[in-house]
Amino acid sequence: MATSTPTRDAYVPPPRQPQKEPPSERRQLWRSRLWRFDDKASPYAYIAPFFLVFGAFGLYPLLYTGWIALHRVEMTGLDSMEWVGWENFDKILHDPEFWTSVSNTFLIGVISTVPQLLVALGLAHLLNYRLRASTFWRTIILTPYATSVASAALVFALVFRADGGLLNWAIGLVGFDDVNWSNGHWTSKIAISVIVIWRWTGYNALIYLAAMQAVPNDLYEAASLDGASRWQQFRKVTIPSLRPTILFTIVISTIGSMQLFGEPLLLEGGALGATGGNENQYETLSIYLYNYGWNLGHLGPAAAVAWAMLALLLIIAAANWFIGRFVRKSAV
Amino acid sequence: MRITRSVAGRRRRTAFVATTGITVTALLLTGCGGSSDSDKGADADGNITLTLADFGQFGYKEAGLFEKYHELNPKITVKEDTTAEEKNYYPKLLQQLNSGSGLADVQGIEVGRIKEIVDTKADSFADLSKTIGVDEWVSWKAKQATAPSGAVIGAGTDIGPMSLCYNRELFEKAGLPTDRAEVAKLTEGGWEDFLALGERYKKKAPEGTYFMDSASAMFNAVVSSSPEQYYDASGKPVYQESAGVEKGWKLAAEAASKKLTQGLAQFEDQWQAALRKSTVATVVCPAWMAGQISTYAGDANKGKWDITSAPGDTSANWGGSFLAVPKSGKNVAEATKLVKWLTAPEQQAAVFKAIGVFPSNQGAYDLPDVKNATLPYFNDAPIGQIYADGAKSIPEAVLGPKDGVIKDSISTQINNMEQRGTSPDDAWDAAVRTIDKAIG
């Protein structure tokens, strides 16, 4: 690579003030060495804080969790660890409840991510029009995201309550019977998805909006000259230009739904929340992990669940990457 | 990109890097030990703040005991930190015990956990056997908190002698007697009689009401009245063969199939709503339950409820807690004095008067606050007499380390039988699966 940037070693600093004697050879050598060291080392020092923090709070827990996953460790005796090898993984993989929570996690993930992204895309498209007080609308749309999971889930728990809940009251007005939302297999998943959709749609809409505004206006002008309608413009210009952004939001939402925890935990709260309902009907992987580690006090299997979640995420990421590559290739 | 810098600029930068590095290192080094413990020990004037961590409702605040202690010991202030649900409190306690930091000077421990603590963490707590009047308690209460070494690691607060709370108004509408002596007579023969009474209730029951709130509560009551519960004396889990569990399960399945229960998970929202709306006619009532009922049923239902003795002739205990003093505290001696005072007869009687949790200290039973106690909310039921009679004859039960989790798992499955019509066999299999996971 040919650049005109002079290398730092070649740069000899001019003396700051005229000196009677030029600095000695030795001194100059020392200085340039120090300089070279500064140049090479400083960037590492600048990024070091992140890596130190990451090492302490990211990497170390990750590896230590893996270590725990191979041991029998009880919450009541963290100091005594007994090597059991793959036994913990074996245990969770043969636990029907684990597979229930895997499928729950995926189902809730799909029925929350898909509508959420579609609605976000539509909202972003609307916000992209010339609007009166557009900043106001953009701010409004982000407010659910700024709410804490806990308070949102608690409010929605009131909405979805079987007894005197807001939603049951509303459908009662139309003449339907009460629905025990958190008790049913599908209704509980829908209830949780609604909370997730409510919280994250605005966030994704803003990401889409930012990407839409980066789409060159010429494309739309050319398209409208060719007689393309608004809808055709949206389909043929906006969506293809947004493809990388859409992929990004899919990845982010997938990671988010894998870690779904607060919403299901608080839907019913208490003992039922901690086991994901009476029949684990809305137990997600995070709840399963929480229950194993914190309620039952067996940290080994809980750590194994954490690693299983990581493995699942990597599989999803790989699938995403292949699909993305396939889509890009077929688009060319 | 062209980089030009003056020497001075570079020097400044090097200095900046150095200071940043030092600062970051310093922050990392000090970060973890950030919160200093200086406020725990005595200050210059010898003033001490004792912290007490508990869960649910211990009743000290309601009885004004902390203020009183401060009056008696002007240099000592007690700060209470209450977690609403024991389920959230206990994991936190274990974490703090493991890390040895964040513990309060006094920690509450629930009876369902005491065995696990005694088995695994007895070393972390001060031995109270010499400092507090262990002999005054009902005998089995002391045994529950005694480690193999003989150390007593928790002072008994309350116990939960069993009674039956019933809604007089609903009983009357259903054509059942409302007098507490008559109700007691009808269920004299035990829990089978109780279910028979339920069938009588169901025949003329006001619409939308149920005989009992939850079959799992009855299950708990039956198991609690049995000397053999979930573990045998050698510490082996025997819940699958235990006579008490088997009897309780059979009765619960019967109640579910006969639809005598509303199938509510106790203490959850819908259970609270059922009390508010008076849709349940009976609630199995350990002493502390009376407080729960009056809280959730509210002032509107005052006087409608009554209390009578529990079905059958064997008394039972359900619940009760302990106060323990972690050894790592800075004021172990002062904390022990506080625990001794809080669990002394007079104070236990005061708590009983305030919120109705029944003393474990037998010395309190003859105090007027207990002996003559009546609950206006429950039609002036003579609770002091009802509970004291029961408390003295409760059989000693064997506790196990996972009692709490086993009870919860079975309750969940009983709830499935009531709510979803799960067959008793399927429900039992599911319960065994979760329990084995918990024990394993």
Side-chain angles (χ1 to χ4, degrees):
Chain A
M1 200 165 72
T3 57
S4 57
T5 315
T7 51
R8 284 285 300 277
D9 349 14
Y11 179 61
V12 180
R16 260 209 305 175
Q17 52 208 147
Q19 281 174 323
K20 275 181 191 155
E21 291 175 274
S24 69
E25 282 281 300
R26 267 181 72 100
R27 210 181 138 134
Q28 275 209 9
L29 194 68
W30 165 241
R31 261 197 184 174
S32 83
R33 264 204 201 138
L34 191 66
W35 208 339
R36 215 178 313 164
F37 175 74
D38 174 20
D39 192 49
K40 292 244 166 69
S42 299
Y44 293 104
Y46 297 147
I47 55 168
F50 169 78
F51 283 96
L52 285 176
V53 172
F54 172 75
F57 297 102
L59 193 64
Y60 172 71
L62 182 78
L63 296 177
Y64 188 57
T65 305
W67 185 241
I68 287 179
L70 301 173
H71 288 80
R72 171 190 271 277
V73 195
E74 293 303 302
M75 189 77 137
T76 47
L78 275 185
D79 32 3
S80 65
M81 290 169 80
E82 183 195 332
W83 176 266
V84 293
W86 294 103
E87 194 187 296
N88 287 326
F89 287 93
D90 195 58
K91 205 182 260 172
I92 60 162
L93 291 179
H94 285 98
D95 182 5
E97 201 181 323
F98 172 75
W99 296 106
T100 311
S101 51
V102 169
S103 74
N104 282 350
T105 307
F106 276 96
L107 281 175
I108 297 177
V110 170
I111 59 176
S112 61
T113 306
V114 174
Q116 178 194 161
L117 294 184
L118 288 177
V119 172
L121 205 53
L123 273 177
H125 185 63
L126 292 180
L127 283 174
N128 202 18
Y129 283 120
R130 232 174 248 286
L131 276 180
R132 213 181 276 269
S134 61
T135 317
F136 171 74
W137 296 114
R138 286 169 198 177
T139 314
I140 285 291
I141 208 175
L142 200 62
T143 41
Y145 171 66
T147 327
S148 86
V149 199
S151 49
L154 285 175
V155 170
F156 273 94
L158 290 179
V159 172
F160 285 112
R161 247 165 85 152
D163 186 81
L166 188 66
L167 195 61
N168 274 351
W169 171 77
I171 64 174
L173 287 184
V174 197
F176 287 101
D177 277 343
D178 277 5
V179 177
N180 197 340
W181 289 96
S182 51
N183 216 2
H185 276 264
W186 278 106
T187 48
S188 59
K189 293 187 182 87
I190 290 170
I192 289 164
S193 303
V194 168
I195 310 178
V196 177
I197 292 169
W198 177 81
R199 258 194 100 220
W200 290 93
T201 303
Y203 172 82
N204 285 307
L206 276 200
I207 293 180
Y208 287 149
L209 180 63
M212 278 177 189
Q213 294 191 329
V215 178
N217 220 16
D218 323 358
L219 290 178
Y220 290 106
E221 274 173 26
S224 65
L225 280 181
D226 287 343
S229 69
R230 281 272 192 193
W231 172 239
Q232 278 171 325
Q233 285 177 28
F234 178 69
R235 265 180 49 217
K236 304 272 177 182
V237 180
T238 313
I239 297 285
S241 324
L242 251 54
R243 195 172 282 139
T245 316
I246 293 175
L247 259 177
F248 169 74
T249 54
I250 290 176
V251 172
I252 294 290
S253 306
T254 311
I255 294 176
S257 55
M258 277 296 285
Q259 294 170 338
L260 204 57
F261 179 67
E263 290 89 345
L265 184 76
L266 294 172
L267 183 67
E268 283 189 282
L272 287 176
T275 52
N278 264 346
E279 291 191 324
N280 316 115
Q281 67 269 26
Y282 55 89
E283 179 171 35
T284 60
L285 277 167
S286 307
I287 298 259
Y288 180 73
L289 186 160
Y290 171 79
N291 191 30
Y292 230 137
W294 271 255
N295 275 350
L296 307 182
H298 305 314
L299 297 180
V305 176
W307 269 78
M309 283 169 78
L310 179 67
L312 279 171
L313 264 182
L314 290 178
I315 292 171
I316 296 170
N320 235 319
W321 184 73
F322 276 115
I323 294 171
R325 212 169 65 146
F326 177 74
V327 169
R328 263 197 302 279
K329 263 194 188 157
S330 61
V332 173
Chain B
M1 194 170 68
R2 195 178 163 78
I3 306 167
T4 45
R5 279 192 237 149
S6 70
V7 177
R10 197 171 74 253
R11 281 216 185 112
R12 222 178 293 136
R13 196 165 296 239
T14 321
F16 174 67
V17 171
T19 39
T20 317
I22 290 167
T23 319
V24 167
T25 320
L27 281 176
L28 283 174
L29 285 175
T30 55
C32 298
S35 62
S36 80
D37 292 327
S38 58
D39 57 326
K40 270 195 181 170
D43 70 4
D45 303 329
N47 289 321
I48 294 174
T49 302
L50 291 175
T51 50
L52 183 147
D54 58 18
F55 47 86
Q57 211 181 20
F58 271 60
Y60 300 134
K61 204 176 289 164
E62 289 82 349
L65 290 185
F66 295 139
E67 286 90 354
K68 202 168 164 200
Y69 197 68
H70 187 62
E71 274 168 32
L72 295 170
N73 307 277
K75 285 189 186 295
I76 295 172
T77 315
V78 184
K79 227 176 70 197
E80 189 187 25
D81 173 22
T82 304
T83 308
E85 285 195 58
E86 202 274 338
K87 204 161 191 148
N88 301 327
Y89 168 85
Y90 185 64
K92 196 168 69 189
L93 172 63
L94 285 182
Q95 278 172 327
Q96 288 164 344
L97 283 172
N98 282 326
S99 64
S101 77
L103 285 163
D105 294 308
V106 180
Q107 293 272 354
I109 299 173
E110 215 264 339
V111 65
R113 318 284 194 180
I114 191 74
K115 176 73 175 155
E116 190 164 66
I117 292 286
V118 162
D119 282 355
T120 59
K121 294 284 175 201
D123 294 347
S124 309
F125 293 98
D127 177 13
L128 304 176
S129 60
K130 304 266 166 8
T131 40
I132 56 176
V134 178
D135 304 338
E136 297 172 358
W137 312 343
V138 288
S139 60
W140 45 270
K141 185 81 175 170
K143 279 193 184 149
Q144 290 175 342
T146 306
S149 64
V152 173
I153 60 160
T157 59
D158 61 315
I159 55 174
M162 197 69 69
S163 70
L164 182 70
C165 295
Y166 64 100
N167 188 316
R168 295 164 58 88
E169 202 182 54
L170 291 179
F171 264 45
E172 196 175 350
K173 281 184 188 161
L176 297 180
T178 55
D179 180 69
R180 60 179 81 93
E182 281 182 63
V183 175
K185 209 158 181 6
L186 285 172
T187 58
E188 229 171 20
W191 293 97
E192 292 84 357
D193 282 7
F194 178 66
L195 288 187
L197 185 67
E199 286 187 86
R200 268 180 71 188
Y201 175 87
K202 202 185 155 193
K203 275 184 198 132
K204 280 181 69 184
E207 203 187 331
T209 70
Y210 299 82
F211 181 61
M212 60 176 111
D213 55 338
S214 129
S216 61
M218 185 182 64
F219 170 84
N220 268 334
V222 174
V223 175
S224 307
S225 69
S226 157
E228 187 184 50
Q229 303 190 353
Y230 306 113
Y231 286 81
D232 70 8
S234 69
K236 204 176 89 193
V238 292
Y239 72 97
Q240 298 213 47
E241 301 90 46
S242 155
V245 174
E246 196 187 325
K247 186 179 171 203
W249 181 264
K250 218 184 84 217
L251 289 167
E254 195 182 329
S257 70
K258 287 181 176 160
K259 302 214 179 333
L260 299 177
T261 116
Q262 194 172 349
L264 302 167
Q266 283 192 316
F267 318 117
E268 308 274 344
D269 286 349
Q270 295 184 37
W271 181 78
Q272 298 175 9
L275 288 174
R276 197 171 56 241
K277 296 184 191 163
S278 289
T279 61
V280 291
T282 65
V283 175
V284 172
C285 248
W288 44 266
M289 185 66 93
Q292 303 270 328
I293 293 177
S294 53
T295 303
Y296 295 119
D299 284 342
N301 291 310
K302 194 174 176 181
K304 284 185 192 170
W305 284 83
D306 209 326
I307 300 180
T308 187
S309 53
D313 49 9
T314 330
S315 286
N317 178 65
W318 178 4
S321 298
F322 296 87
L323 289 179
V325 179
K327 269 183 193 164
S328 59
K330 293 224 162 118
N331 298 300
V332 173
E334 284 301 332
T336 309
K337 273 185 208 157
L338 172 67
V339 167
K340 183 180 181 181
W341 187 79
L342 284 175
T343 55
E346 293 76 21
Q347 279 63 249
Q348 291 208 350
V351 171
F352 178 62
K353 195 180 176 193
I355 65 161
V357 299
F358 197 72
S360 60
N361 195 321
Q362 298 190 69
Y365 299 169
D366 291 327
L367 296 176
D369 271 350
V370 176
K371 206 175 181 181
N372 308 326
T374 56
L375 270 184
Y377 194 95
F378 290 82
N379 195 30
D380 291 321
I383 49 170
Q385 203 188 323
I386 295 175
Y387 293 141
D389 283 351
K392 287 172 182 162
S393 57
I394 292 170
E396 186 187 322
V398 177
L399 295 186
K402 296 286 179 188
D403 279 351
V405 184
I406 296 176
K407 202 168 69 185
D408 285 350
S409 307
I410 294 182
S411 294
T412 304
Q413 292 309 324
I414 291 177
N415 196 252
N416 280 344
M417 289 197 289
E418 301 168 277
Q419 282 281 317
R420 298 158 175 268
T422 312
S423 79
D425 288 346
D426 288 352
W428 180 252
D429 288 346
V432 169
R433 218 167 38 234
T434 39
I435 292 170
D436 285 349
K437 193 154 77 186
I439 295 174

